[in-house]
Amino acid sequence: MAGAYWRFMVGEALRFSESRVLDIARDDEDGPAEAGERGTLRAVSVWYPPGEDEISAEAHPAYDALVGDLLDTEAAAALERAGAQFAEARPSEPHAYLTLLGVAPEARGGGYGMGLLRAALARYDEAGIPTYLESSNPANDVRYERLGYRPHAVVELAGGARVQTYWRDPRAAS
């Protein structure tokens, strides 16, 4: 169920060039992988440029149908309420939005996710664009703060989950 939802959301993000996927070309018993051969997925970062929504206007009917297929009425309403809470917490100032930073379980601790994040921040810093993200895992908060993010707001979801949101102004090139 979650896989179908995230495939849809990542598919929507692919309309922009800001998102990145890190995969490692695999080596096998016949030697290294050929150039261009896909390997093991390590990490993904899904970014939206300033002023863009996560779901395009054209995709809203497909999104609504997907949610209707995956969730009962009560769960769909809860998802809609959570979306409204996140939208309300999001700053109105133009910014790039990191909606997903994921690392494969077997790759955690290897620096892959933070490497993708640092690379994106370098691009946004160069362009003078602030960035925004939501942290659902408090263990990651210190990592974001080391990169210059500062707490923006807390979103308290039904059921007690708390999500810390973060803002980062662009840094001048050194």
Side-chain angles (χ1 to χ4, degrees):
M1 181 166 56
Y5 180 83
W6 284 111
R7 275 190 296 280
F8 180 90
M9 296 304 289
V10 170
E12 276 295 288
L14 293 178
R15 69 187 194 270
F16 305 110
S17 63
E18 285 80 0
S19 297
R20 298 286 186 266
V21 174
L22 177 64
D23 65 342
I24 306 299
R26 67 180 195 285
D27 289 343
D28 59 26
E29 58 200 34
D30 297 325
E34 296 296 318
E37 184 177 5
R38 302 301 272 182
T40 303
L41 177 68
R42 295 290 184 220
V44 61
S45 63
V46 177
W47 288 91
Y48 288 90
E52 295 294 344
D53 290 323
E54 288 180 273
I55 302 168
S56 66
E58 308 80 49
H60 271 284
Y63 175 81
D64 293 341
L66 176 68
V67 169
D69 289 344
L70 295 176
L71 302 175
D72 63 30
T73 304
E74 187 177 320
L79 178 63
E80 187 173 339
R81 284 191 301 275
Q85 287 179 266
F86 283 113
E88 186 178 317
R90 208 164 150 190
S92 58
E93 180 179 345
H95 60 276
Y97 171 43
L98 177 65
T99 187
L100 174 67
L101 180 63
V103 178
E106 64 277 5
R108 288 188 184 136
Y112 300 113
M114 295 311 289
L116 286 176
L117 182 54
R118 280 191 296 278
L121 292 177
R123 291 190 309 274
Y124 290 123
D125 285 349
E126 186 175 323
I129 297 172
T131 60
Y132 173 80
L133 62 83
E134 299 146 349
S135 176
S136 59
N137 183 350
N140 291 329
D141 293 354
V142 70
R143 293 178 178 104
Y144 300 136
E145 291 171 8
R146 276 191 218 130
L147 293 176
Y149 281 96
R150 64 181 192 274
H152 175 72
V154 174
V155 176
E156 296 196 29
L157 300 171
R162 298 180 83 237
V163 178
Q164 177 66 58
T165 69
Y166 282 96
W167 179 266
R168 182 181 181 275
D169 289 315
R171 292 182 174 174
S174 50

